[in-house]
Amino acid sequence: ENTSELFPENPDICITGLSLPRKFYKKGKLYDNPEELPEINIPEHKFQILLAHHPEYASIYDKYNADFIVSGHLHGGLLRLPGVGGVVSPRLRLPDCDAGLMELSGGSKIFISRGLGSHTIPLRFLNRVEVNFLTLKGK
């Protein structure tokens, strides 16, 4: 929780767990003060993996210099329509990115899991639960 550890088998890889304050999870809107992100001591010049529950803040996670972000929170959009994707998220709007692997504008990548649970509405429509196994390979 808001700490970093070097990967025991490869000290060139750093894993950081980010726990955002509750105000970042307000229903219906995003909290827009990136200065209130937690301070975390992160070693430099390492491949940085950031475990961050809320993917909609990915654009402000730059502060942590993450190469790869693993996230969830949106449950794949709860309700999905073929050809459209997720149409309802915990913020009750169409999510910009709700599941899968994406590249962010700064060059880092984010993987968003659909997860196992539901949210306020205990329903998943055309949205299967998933457990993910990720394999990272060097360039």
Side-chain angles (χ1 to χ4, degrees):
E1 188 171 308
N2 296 331
T3 60
S4 293
E5 295 289 333
L6 296 179
F7 196 73
E9 285 80 21
N10 185 342
D12 289 329
I13 299 173
C14 179
I15 301 173
T16 299
L18 174 64
S19 181
L20 294 175
R22 290 189 76 61
K23 61 181 117 186
F24 282 83
Y25 290 93
K26 199 170 214 175
K27 282 196 191 279
K29 68 176 191 167
L30 290 178
Y31 186 71
D32 62 356
N33 191 352
E35 280 75 44
E36 292 193 37
L37 286 171
E39 291 297 325
I40 303 174
N41 185 16
I42 299 174
E44 292 185 27
H45 310 295
K46 306 289 182 189
F47 182 81
Q48 176 64 27
I49 300 171
L50 179 67
L51 306 176
H53 184 74
H54 203 316
E56 289 187 291
Y57 290 112
S59 64
I60 63 173
Y61 292 156
D62 289 345
K63 170 180 181 172
Y64 303 111
N65 298 315
D67 297 293
F68 188 66
I69 302 166
V70 179
S71 198
H73 185 66
L74 300 177
H75 304 278
L78 297 177
L79 306 175
R80 295 185 73 77
L81 297 178
V84 174
V87 294
V88 176
S89 78
R91 271 199 312 135
L92 304 175
R93 65 181 263 317
L94 184 67
D96 297 328
C97 54
D98 56 21
L101 181 64
M102 303 172 154
E103 186 162 340
L104 300 172
S105 60
S108 60
K109 294 187 185 321
I110 183 169
F111 180 81
I112 305 169
S113 172
R114 293 183 192 181
L116 297 170
S118 60
H119 203 270
T120 307
I121 305 166
L123 170 72
R124 291 177 77 116
F125 182 73
L126 297 176
N127 183 18
R128 292 184 181 180
V129 299
E130 67 180 7
V131 175
N132 308 107
F133 295 92
L134 305 174
T135 302
L136 301 177
K137 296 181 180 182
K139 292 182 180 180

